[in-house]
């Protein structure tokens, strides 16, 4: 849990205007990622330039972080809405 807390604190200190960012963590939890801030700012710039995707995968030494950018000024697009996975499987 200590490593996850470190990752969450790192993401929390990064300022990305007009977006709330979620992260899913998997893989090698012994890695302290060093390029998260650069990665997130690059993806933010891509969004500002018109890229339609909002999910981005960051990998470093077996650690895998899946970031999702949610805009804070409008309703979340249906394809990025957080849904109950059990409900999705039943359909």
């Amino acid at each position: 849990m200590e490593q996850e807390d470190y990752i969450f604190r790192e993401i929390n200190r990064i300022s990305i205007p007009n977006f709330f960012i979620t992260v899913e963590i998997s893989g090698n939890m012994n890695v302290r990622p060093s390029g998260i801030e650069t990665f997130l700012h690059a993806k933010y710039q891509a969004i500002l330039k018109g890229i339609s995707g909002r999910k981005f995968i960051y990998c470093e030494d077996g650690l895998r972080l899946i970031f999702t950018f949610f805009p804070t000024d409008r309703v979340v697009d249906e394809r990025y809405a957080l849904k109950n996975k059990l409900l999705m499987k039943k359909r």
Side-chain angles (χ1 to χ4, degrees), residues 56-70:
F56 305 100
I57 300 172
Y58 175 88
C59 295
E60 184 176 330
D61 296 330
L63 177 67
R64 181 179 160 119
L65 306 174
I66 303 171
F67 294 100
T68 306
F69 285 64
F70 292 98

Side-chain angles (χ1 to χ4, degrees), residues 27-83:
N28 182 3
M29 292 303 294
N30 296 320
V31 175
R32 288 252 167 146
S34 59
I36 293 175
E37 185 168 8
T38 303
F39 177 82
L40 291 177
H41 281 291
K43 298 309 176 187
Y44 175 62
Q45 290 302 316
I47 290 170
L48 293 179
K49 290 179 182 174
I51 192 171
S52 63
R54 294 293 181 266
K55 276 195 177 221
F56 305 100
I57 300 172
Y58 175 88
C59 295
E60 184 176 330
D61 296 330
L63 177 67
R64 181 179 160 119
L65 306 174
I66 303 171
F67 294 100
T68 306
F69 285 64
F70 292 98
T72 58
D73 63 345
R74 62 184 175 272
V75 175
V76 174
D77 188 317
E78 179 70 21
R79 64 185 164 169
Y80 297 108
L82 298 174
K83 296 180 181 180

